[in-house]
């Protein structure tokens, strides 16, 4: 009896220990907290379907991340279309580091209990429908680096306690209904990089303590669209009022020179003015927000280390409308990529002021008017692509001053007049495409000489009215200068200028014979002399075509004596297998299956010691499988022979078995 009692006591102790160790049940576990939050929300897309209360460990749930101790450290539910309140119990997630709930339809107030999350690094609740005030308790989260509560309906004052967040880098409270003054305590946060308070109802002035952060880590301070002293509420310009004292005013003036706080001529203002001039049916420019003073945060805009705009990438964005002259004020811009839109109007002469520009890509739009002479002043320009527009007038002589230019593409416009001899000054030029215009005269000797003494590898003037060419044929032909016919003949041998027997002509002739309902071959343009630029064509270093691919399942254009694959299966080929295939001594795969081939299998195939795959199934072949071919299994590399579904002796042609005759 005593031993049984002692055993029972041991079992009770053990059971108590197991309960303490297991995470199976406790109404305060992380899993229970998250499941209660799930119940409080509406989840129309079943994003939270895996949040199953019968699975005691939430680490297995989608959008929940745990550490090695199976403790929840991250919840990612941004843009999940969930709605409903935040429950106070979330404050019980003691080890949570990231709470990402942005871009939903959360409502109600922010629970004060969230301030208990002492390990929290990022609290992202922006773009919801939250109301009420910002809890003072949030100032207790000493590890917090990112606090983003923007674009809600929060009201009341900004808690001074936020000045205790000594690790905070990003404080975004913009586009709410916050009132009162800006707490001077925020000046204690020396780590702060971004302070965005714009679009509220704040009053008073910007404390000097905050302005002083501009000489430490603060790179953006945005207080536009408030009721601050010295600012214009209605204009939406990014202006700030200084502290009332004269000393502060002087300091503030200095800060303005350091920070991107205001100027109606800043890069952000220029780009926003361009946005207003365009129609943007797909909201590509939605992030181009005039209340965000630094355009470096906008999509499709790239800046350098000095926060100057160096690149604008808006190709194929569905934009329409004119280019504004103010774009010429983007002094540091290097790449202006606006190709493939529906931009109209003329090219502003002011673009010639872009003294750092490397690439101007305006091709494939609806631009009209002349090419501005001023573009010739951009000495850094390497790529000038204006093709596929409705440009008129002559090619400016000034383009000959672009001594760094590599590509000049003006084809498919309505340009007239002669080709400027000044283009011959551009020794760096590699591609000169002037085809499909209304150019007259001859090709200047200075330009032709670039083929020999410069870097020019492609010169295309087809489809013009030049002397010695047939403008209507579309051939890539050129007329030589009357005094330089002999030299021109030599140049034709060096350049890819045209021949009706070139690889490009061969491929284009093949295109004409094919039906291409999906426009797979749209890039196979006979006016582009070098087929190496065409999609589905690969060239070697000598600009010779070595491969065509991506059309159907497989098209390989290779020299039959050097090729490693003959893939002709699945057609309606008839006749016999050529004996000459035995000469393909580098062949690895021979696939002729699923045709209507007849006759015997050539013994000469046994000469191909490199052959690994021989697939002849699904034809009407007769006879036997030659011993020479079978021997490749033993003395060669052959790993697969398939002759099923033929009429070979010793096989059952109708069974579909991948069988061969036993020898």
């Amino acid at each position: 009896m005593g031993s049984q009692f002692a055993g029972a006591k041991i079992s009770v102790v053990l059971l108590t220990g197991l309960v303490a160790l297991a995470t199976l049940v406790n109404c305060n576990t992380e899993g229970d907290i998250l499941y209660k939050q799930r119940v409080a929300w509406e989840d129309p897309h079943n994003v939270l379907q895996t949040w199953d209360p019968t699975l005691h460990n939430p680490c297995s749930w989608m959008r929940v991340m745990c550490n090695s101790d199976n403790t929840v450290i991250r919840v990612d539910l941004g843009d999940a279309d969930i709605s409903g309140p935040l429950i106070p119990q979330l404050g019980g997630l003691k080890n949570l580091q990231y709470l990402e709930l942005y871009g939903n339809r959360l409502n109600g107030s922010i629970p004060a209990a969230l301030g208990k999350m002492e390990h929290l690094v990022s609290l992202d609740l922006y773009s919801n429908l939250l109301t009420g005030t910002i809890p003072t308790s949030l100032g207790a989260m000493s590890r917090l680096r990112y606090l983003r509560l923007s674009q809600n309906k929060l009201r009341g004052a900004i808690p001074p306690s936020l000045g205790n967040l000594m690790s905070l880098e990003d404080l975004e409270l913009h586009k709410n209904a916050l009132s009162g003054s800006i707490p001077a305590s925020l000046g204690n946060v020396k780590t702060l990089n971004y302070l965005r308070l714009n679009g509220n109802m704040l009053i008073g002035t910007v404390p000097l303590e905050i302005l002083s952060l501009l000489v430490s880590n603060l790179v953006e301070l945005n207080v536009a669209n408030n009721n601050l002293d010295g600012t214009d509420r209605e204009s939406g310009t990014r202006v700030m009022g200084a502290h009332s004292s004269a000393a502060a005013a002087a300091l503030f003036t200095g800060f303005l020179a350091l920070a991107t706080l205001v100027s109606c001529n800043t890069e952000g203002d220029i780009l926003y003015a361009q946005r207003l001039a365009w129609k943007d049916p797909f909201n590509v420019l939605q992030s181009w927000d005039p209340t965000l003073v630094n355009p470096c945060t906008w999509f499709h805009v790239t800046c350098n280390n000095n926060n100057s705009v160096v690149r604008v990438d808006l190709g194929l964005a569905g934009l329409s409308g004119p280019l504004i002259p103010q774009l010429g004020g983007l002094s540091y811009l290097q790449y202006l990529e606006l190709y493939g839109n529906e931009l109209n109007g003329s090219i502003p002469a002011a673009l010639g002021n872009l003294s750092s520009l490397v690439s101007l890509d305006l091709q494939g739009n609806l631009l009209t008017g002349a090419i501005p002479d001023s573009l010739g002043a951009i000495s850094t320009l390497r790529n000038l692509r204006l093709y596929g527009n409705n440009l008129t007038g002559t090619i400016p002589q000034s383009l000959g001053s672009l001594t760094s230019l590599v590509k000049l593409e003006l084809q498919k416009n309505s340009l007239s007049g002669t080709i400027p001899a000044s283009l011959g000054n551009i020794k760096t030029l590699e591609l000169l495409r002037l085809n499909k215009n209304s150019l007259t005269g001859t090709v200047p000797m200075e330009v032709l000489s670039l083929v020999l003494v410069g870097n020019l590898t492609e010169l295309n003037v087809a489809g013009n009215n030049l002397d010695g060419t047939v403008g209507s044929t579309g051939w890539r032909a050129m007329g030589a200068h009357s005094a330089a016919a002999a030299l021109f003949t030599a140049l034709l041998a060096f350049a890819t200028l045209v021949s009706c027997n070139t690889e490009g002509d061969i491929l284009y002739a093949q295109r004409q014979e094919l039906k291409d309902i999906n426009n797979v071959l749209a890039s196979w343009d006979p006016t582009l002399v070098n087929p190496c630029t065409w999609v589905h064509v690969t060239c070697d270093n000598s600009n010779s075509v070595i491969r065509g691919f991506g059309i159907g399942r497989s098209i390989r254009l290779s020299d039959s004596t050097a090729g490693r694959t003959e893939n002709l299966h699945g057609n309606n080929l008839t006749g016999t297998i050529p004996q000459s295939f035995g000469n393909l001594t580098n062949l690895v795969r021979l696939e002729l299956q699923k045709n209507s081939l007849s006759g015997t299998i050539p013994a000469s195939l046994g000469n191909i010691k490199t052959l690994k795959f021989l697939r002849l199934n699904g034809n009407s072949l007769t006879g036997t499988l030659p011993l020479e071919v079978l021997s490749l299994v033993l003395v060669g590399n052959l790993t697969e022979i398939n002759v099923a579904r033929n009429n070979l002796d010793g096989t059952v042609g109708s069974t579909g078995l991948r069988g061969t005759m036993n020898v």
Side-chain angles (χ1 to χ4, degrees):
M1 176 70 75
S3 62
Q4 290 178 347
F5 181 73
K9 287 181 65 178
I10 293 171
S11 298
V12 170
V13 172
L14 180 59
L15 178 62
T16 303
L18 289 172
V19 170
L21 290 170
T23 59
L24 292 178
V25 182
N26 185 337
C27 60
N28 291 317
T29 63
E30 295 175 326
D32 287 317
I33 292 170
L34 291 176
Y35 182 67
K36 286 179 181 178
Q37 181 62 84
R38 174 189 172 180
V39 172
W41 280 337
E42 292 185 7
D43 178 22
H45 303 299
N46 287 324
V47 174
L48 306 177
Q49 189 173 16
T50 62
W51 289 28
D52 184 347
T54 64
L55 299 177
H56 60 273
N57 187 350
C59 301
S60 63
W61 298 356
M62 297 291 289
R63 299 178 180 259
V64 174
M65 183 181 295
C66 295
N67 59 17
S68 56
D69 297 324
N70 283 336
T71 298
V72 174
I73 59 171
R74 186 170 185 129
V75 176
D76 282 295
L77 285 168
D79 295 320
D81 199 28
I82 53 180
S83 61
L86 296 169
I87 62 172
Q89 291 92 324
L90 286 176
L93 300 174
K94 302 295 186 183
N95 295 294
L96 194 67
Q97 297 177 25
Y98 294 86
L99 184 57
E100 307 294 320
L101 301 176
Y102 56 86
N104 288 290
R105 292 179 288 123
L106 304 180
N107 52 37
S109 60
I110 300 173
L114 297 190
K116 298 177 181 179
M117 297 178 174
E118 58 185 28
H119 289 93
L120 203 65
V121 172
S122 177
L123 179 58
D124 277 337
L125 301 178
Y126 61 89
S127 297
N128 279 288
L129 304 172
L130 297 170
T131 55
T133 60
I134 300 173
T136 302
S137 60
L138 298 188
M141 295 185 287
S142 60
R143 291 180 172 85
L144 199 64
R145 295 175 61 194
Y146 308 102
L147 178 57
R148 303 183 181 104
L149 308 178
S150 57
Q151 300 182 69
N152 281 286
K153 298 179 179 180
L154 301 173
R155 53 179 174 78
I158 300 172
S161 63
L162 298 186
N164 298 325
L165 300 174
M166 296 304 175
S167 298
L168 198 64
E169 297 177 14
D170 196 347
L171 178 56
E172 302 190 24
L173 306 178
H174 52 283
K175 296 186 179 180
N176 280 290
L178 300 172
S179 56
S181 59
I182 301 173
S185 61
L186 296 181
N188 299 330
V189 190
K190 307 302 182 186
T191 54
L192 202 59
N193 291 330
Y194 297 93
L195 178 57
R196 293 170 177 160
L197 306 176
N198 49 291
N200 282 289
M201 296 186 289
L202 300 172
I203 57 173
T205 59
V206 180
L208 184 59
E209 293 85 347
I210 293 176
L211 290 175
S212 66
L213 295 178
L214 291 168
V215 294
S216 56
N217 290 310
L218 193 62
V219 295
E220 184 178 321
L221 170 58
N222 194 338
V223 295
N225 290 305
N226 280 286
N227 296 318
L228 297 171
D229 296 343
T231 68
D232 183 353
R233 169 75 189 182
E234 299 300 325
S235 69
T237 52
R238 299 183 292 280
V239 295
M240 276 190 58
H243 202 278
S244 56
S245 70
L251 180 60
F252 179 64
T253 303
F255 285 139
L256 281 178
L258 293 168
T260 57
L261 292 181
V262 186
S263 169
C264 59
N265 293 316
T266 62
E267 296 175 324
D269 288 313
I270 292 170
L271 291 176
Y272 183 67
Q274 180 62 83
R275 174 188 173 181
L276 294 180
W278 280 337
K279 291 182 180 179
D280 178 22
F282 304 113
N283 287 324
V284 174
L285 306 177
Q286 188 172 18
S287 66
W288 289 28
D289 183 346
T291 65
L292 299 178
V293 302
N294 187 350
C296 302
T297 62
W298 298 354
F299 291 143
H300 310 293
V301 174
T302 304
C303 295
N304 60 17
N305 293 334
N306 298 320
N307 283 335
S308 295
V309 174
V310 296
R311 187 169 186 130
V312 176
D313 285 289
L314 285 167
L316 302 171
L319 303 171
S320 61
L323 297 169
I324 62 172
Q326 292 94 316
L327 288 175
L330 300 174
S331 303
Y332 298 96
L333 193 66
Q334 298 177 24
Y335 295 85
L336 184 56
E337 307 292 322
L338 302 177
Y339 56 86
N341 289 289
E342 295 180 7
L343 304 181
N344 53 38
S346 60
I347 300 173
L351 295 190
N353 297 329
L354 300 174
S355 57
S356 299
L357 202 64
V358 173
S359 177
L360 179 58
D361 277 341
L362 302 178
Q363 74 264 22
N365 281 287
L366 304 173
L367 297 170
T368 56
I371 300 172
D373 287 330
S374 59
L375 298 186
I378 311 175
S379 60
T380 54
L381 200 62
R382 298 185 61 201
N383 301 311
L384 179 56
R385 302 185 180 99
L386 307 179
Y387 66 84
N389 283 286
N390 297 313
L391 300 175
T392 56
T394 60
I395 300 172
Q397 293 278 348
S398 62
L399 298 187
S401 301
L402 301 174
T403 51
S404 297
L405 201 64
V406 175
K407 294 182 179 181
L408 179 56
E409 301 186 38
L410 307 179
Q411 70 268 28
K412 297 182 181 179
N413 280 290
S414 298
L415 299 173
S416 57
T418 59
I419 300 172
S422 62
L423 298 182
N425 299 330
I426 311 175
K427 308 304 181 188
T428 54
L429 200 61
E430 295 180 3
L431 299 177
L432 177 56
R433 293 172 176 163
L434 307 177
N435 48 294
K436 289 194 175 180
N437 282 287
S438 301
L439 300 172
T440 57
T442 59
V443 180
M445 176 67 78
E446 294 86 346
V447 174
L448 289 174
S449 67
L450 293 177
V451 178
L452 291 178
V453 299
N455 292 304
L456 195 62
T457 58
E458 184 179 321
L459 170 57
N460 194 338
V461 295
N464 281 285
N465 298 316
L466 296 172
D467 296 344
T469 69
V470 183
S472 61
T473 65
W475 290 113
R476 298 181 296 281
M478 275 191 59
H481 199 283
S482 57
L487 176 60
F488 178 66
T489 302
L491 290 172
L492 280 177
F494 287 100
T496 58
L497 292 182
V498 183
S499 162
C500 59
N501 293 317
T502 63
E503 295 175 324
D505 288 312
I506 293 169
L507 291 177
Y508 182 68
Q510 180 62 75
R511 174 189 172 180
Q512 299 291 88
E513 295 298 321
L514 296 173
K515 290 183 179 180
D516 180 20
I517 58 175
N518 295 317
N519 285 325
V520 173
L521 307 179
S523 66
W524 290 27
D525 183 348
T527 65
L528 298 178
V529 304
N530 187 350
C532 302
T533 62
W534 297 356
V535 182
H536 308 299
V537 174
T538 303
C539 295
D540 60 15
N541 293 334
S542 303
N543 284 335
S544 296
V545 174
I546 58 172
R547 185 181 181 107
F549 61 92
I551 307 167
R553 291 189 177 181
S554 176
I555 294 179
R556 294 179 172 84
L557 305 175
S558 55
D559 181 77
S560 61
T561 60
R564 296 175 57 82
T565 302
E566 287 296 334
N567 187 342
L568 305 175
H569 67 79
N571 287 287
N572 295 312
L573 301 176
T574 58
T576 61
I577 300 172
Q579 292 281 346
S580 60
F581 275 13
N583 298 325
L584 301 173
T585 53
N586 291 310
L587 199 64
V588 175
R589 304 172 76 107
L590 179 56
E591 302 189 27
L592 305 177
Q593 70 269 26
K594 296 183 181 179
N595 282 288
S596 298
L597 299 173
S598 58
T600 60
I601 299 172
S604 62
L605 298 183
N607 299 330
I608 312 174
K609 308 304 182 186
T610 55
L611 199 62
K612 291 185 178 180
F613 297 92
L614 177 59
R615 294 171 178 162
L616 307 177
N617 50 293
N619 283 286
S620 301
L621 299 172
T622 57
T624 60
L625 190 64
L627 185 59
E628 293 86 347
V629 175
L630 283 173
S631 67
L632 294 178
V633 177
L634 295 177
V635 299
N637 293 304
L638 196 61
T639 59
E640 182 181 323
I641 303 178
N642 193 339
V643 295
R645 295 179 182 253
N646 280 286
N647 299 315
L648 296 173
D649 298 341
T651 68
V652 184
S654 61
T655 65
L657 295 173
R658 294 187 297 279
T660 64
M661 174 183 172
N662 293 321
V663 178

